[in-house]
Amino acid sequence: MQVLMHSMDMRKEAKHFDKPFWRSEKNMARAKQKNKKNYHRLLGVVIVMILFGLIMVLSASHARAYASTGDSYYYIKKQLIAAGIGFAALMFLSNVPLKTLQRMVRPAMWAAVGLLVAVLIPGIGKNAGGATSWIPLGGFQIQPSELAKIAAILFTADFFSKRSRGLKDIRELYPYAGAILLIILLIMKQPDMGTTLALCITLFVMLFVGGLNMKYIAAAASLGTVSAIALIFARSYRLNRITSFLNPNADPLGNGWQIKQSLLAFGSGGLTGVGFGMSRQKYFYLPAAHTDFIFAIIGEELGLLGTLFTISLFALFAYYGIRISRQCKSQFGYLLGVGVTSMVALQAIVNMGTVTAVLPITGIPMPFISYGGSSLMANLAAVGILLSIALEGNRGSASRRRRKPLRAVDGGDIEETTKKGKHRAKSSKKRARAKALEETSKARTKKVKKKEIRSRVNASNNKRGRNSGSRVSGAGSRQSATKSKKRS
């Protein structure tokens, strides 16, 4: 619900990422502290959900595990291994910068398409429950559709972050629509309508928050609704799910059995539950008690308080996920955080609605809590991406500290400059050069003027010398003439 409440504000904020943004040192320090707090709080919420999920999987699966394999801890052992692998992926991806993640978009899309094609090849994919959705690998079963969801979210964030100022032409959407449609068709070929539904809802939230024109979103939503209705009527078991949702009592021992047993589990739990491990519905009354309908076992064993505790965990996850997304300065990280948060939160909402008969049965598990190795590993990897977004601001400040400072000499004062001060350094150098050129030009003009003055002075001195010489020669001739007259 947190995702839907903040979507309008986030849609407005998405239009301002192309503007430069500078922070003071105090604001930078506060932002770093907030990033660390959000990082540790989100990680704490996820760890609590994983531990809570492991406890509930152990309680809900031990009877079925003993009946099918002879080992009561069979499912919990596999879930523990998946949790360890997923947590390692979480820690690795939390240290990967956003620029590196953005460069991984195309390889991730190609890998997702390749795995979705491979699962359809006979002899590679494994059929279970009427769907060929798993690839056996070393005692585990990998579900490529879970990895395809993350690849589609990465691709959507990358595509629309590069077009943050809007689409100039509708034809720019064709490559994106073609790639997403290919993934959806490959998932539906398995068939897996639940994963397709979860992916489509997540992408619609990202498109809305990313600022896509509402007429395009409405057109895509109407096309998706028509396609979903056609797919429901195309298979009888999907239509039976809708009819059992509308009237479970019409076939209480058939299609309505699962939902009635789920409601019985909630009803018998009451306020505080029947006690941990004391559920009766898990003894083969409730199908998929440790996977899709584990929320009903939580309600039976821990009561209303246990269900409220579960809801509060996902509410906290959504809150911190949205907070991390909104504090990210990168448009790519912003959309990526929104996609990961909405993927987890909306899957939890749909699962809770299915188990409580608010929504039809979709086959979507509860993130972090339901049994399923591929789902758990994929969700933990997605959380690692979200934690990487939380630390992106701290990485930027650390890289700025590691850079060598630039120094600009202007009038004898040495000034250390950071990324913002590069422009000041360049302008100061330009000013110094201009001043030097002005000074040299002034010195040259002074020299020229001095030369002109000296030449003028010399010329005037020469004229005076000539005039004085002629005067002296005239006086001497007159004196000699007077002397000759006296002698005569």
Side-chain angles (χ1 to χ4, degrees), residues 46-83:
V46 172
I47 291 173
V48 170
M49 283 196 285
I50 293 172
L51 295 176
F52 181 64
L54 291 173
I55 293 171
M56 293 312 302
V57 167
L58 174 62
S59 175
S61 67
H62 70 87
R64 188 175 298 273
Y66 184 79
S68 59
T69 66
D71 183 7
S72 299
Y73 303 104
Y74 175 77
Y75 292 116
I76 189 61
K77 288 177 182 177
K78 297 185 72 174
Q79 191 76 347
L80 277 170
I81 295 172

Side-chain angles (χ1 to χ4, degrees), residues 307-357:
T307 58
L308 291 177
F309 173 72
T310 307
I311 293 171
S312 65
L313 288 176
F314 284 103
L316 286 173
F317 180 90
Y319 171 75
Y320 287 118
I322 292 171
R323 192 172 180 179
I324 288 170
S325 303
R326 295 181 69 174
Q327 289 178 357
C328 183
K329 296 187 290 182
S330 167
Q331 174 77 336
F332 172 72
Y334 173 75
L335 291 176
L336 187 58
V338 170
V340 171
T341 305
S342 43
M343 179 187 73
V344 174
L346 293 173
Q347 280 185 202
I349 291 171
V350 172
N351 178 268
M352 293 175 189
T354 297
V355 176
T356 55

Side-chain angles (χ1 to χ4, degrees), residues 45-355:
V45 171
V46 172
I47 291 173
V48 170
M49 283 196 285
I50 293 172
L51 295 176
F52 181 64
L54 291 173
I55 293 171
M56 293 312 302
V57 167
L58 174 62
S59 175
S61 67
H62 70 87
R64 188 175 298 273
Y66 184 79
S68 59
T69 66
D71 183 7
S72 299
Y73 303 104
Y74 175 77
Y75 292 116
I76 189 61
K77 288 177 182 177
K78 297 185 72 174
Q79 191 76 347
L80 277 170
I81 295 172
I85 297 172
F87 198 79
L90 179 149
M91 297 307 296
F92 172 75
L93 289 173
S94 65
N95 293 312
V96 177
L98 286 182
K99 291 183 179 179
T100 305
L101 287 174
Q102 198 163 10
R103 289 194 293 266
M104 293 168 57
V105 170
R106 288 189 177 182
M109 284 292 291
W110 282 112
V113 172
L115 290 172
L116 290 175
V117 172
V119 79
L120 300 175
I121 299 174
I124 297 178
K126 181 181 178 181
N127 190 295
T132 309
S133 303
W134 292 271
I135 298 177
L137 184 64
F140 286 91
Q141 294 181 2
I142 298 175
Q143 192 173 1
S145 58
E146 293 291 337
L147 303 177
K149 287 191 294 186
I150 299 177
I153 290 171
L154 283 167
F155 180 64
T156 303
D158 177 63
F159 183 85
F160 285 97
S161 64
K162 295 176 180 177
R163 294 162 180 83
S164 58
R165 296 185 179 180
L167 297 174
K168 297 180 181 178
D169 192 355
I170 185 61
R171 286 175 291 185
E172 294 183 24
L173 278 174
Y174 291 167
Y176 170 77
I180 296 298
L181 187 61
L182 176 61
I183 288 180
I184 290 174
L185 291 176
L186 289 173
I187 295 175
M188 284 303 302
K189 187 67 177 177
Q190 298 175 6
D192 188 356
M193 193 169 182
T195 302
T196 304
L197 177 65
L199 176 61
C200 290
I201 295 174
T202 301
L203 295 182
F204 273 118
V205 172
M206 293 183 69
L207 296 179
F208 178 76
V209 173
L212 184 64
N213 196 320
M214 286 301 298
K215 63 180 181 181
Y216 300 145
I217 298 177
S222 59
L223 179 62
T225 303
V226 172
S227 302
I229 294 172
L231 290 170
I232 289 171
F233 283 94
R235 297 290 180 94
S236 60
Y237 72 91
R238 293 175 187 153
L239 188 59
N240 291 334
R241 287 182 177 180
I242 300 299
T243 56
S244 63
F245 162 69
L246 296 174
N247 188 11
N249 295 320
D251 189 10
L253 299 179
N255 295 323
W257 173 264
Q258 190 171 17
I259 190 63
K260 286 183 69 66
Q261 296 301 317
S262 176
L263 295 177
L264 282 173
F266 281 110
S268 60
L271 179 63
T272 59
V274 297
F276 176 74
M278 303 300 294
S279 169
R280 292 181 291 272
Q281 295 301 108
K282 67 185 178 185
Y283 289 101
F284 310 105
Y285 289 103
L286 178 62
H290 61 298
T291 55
D292 298 349
F293 277 75
I294 197 170
F295 189 57
I297 303 300
I298 294 173
E300 184 183 8
E301 293 188 350
L302 304 179
L304 178 63
L305 297 178
T307 58
L308 291 177
F309 173 72
T310 307
I311 293 171
S312 65
L313 288 176
F314 284 103
L316 286 173
F317 180 90
Y319 171 75
Y320 287 118
I322 292 171
R323 192 172 180 179
I324 288 170
S325 303
R326 295 181 69 174
Q327 289 178 357
C328 183
K329 296 187 290 182
S330 167
Q331 174 77 336
F332 172 72
Y334 173 75
L335 291 176
L336 187 58
V338 170
V340 171
T341 305
S342 43
M343 179 187 73
V344 174
L346 293 173
Q347 280 185 202
I349 291 171
V350 172
N351 178 268
M352 293 175 189
T354 297
V355 176

Side-chain angles (χ1 to χ4, degrees), residues 408-410 415 423-433:
V409 179
D410 185 10
E415 180 184 359
H423 303 289
R424 296 177 181 173
K426 290 180 180 178
S427 60
S428 63
K429 287 181 180 179
K430 289 180 180 179
R431 291 170 188 168
R433 290 174 184 174

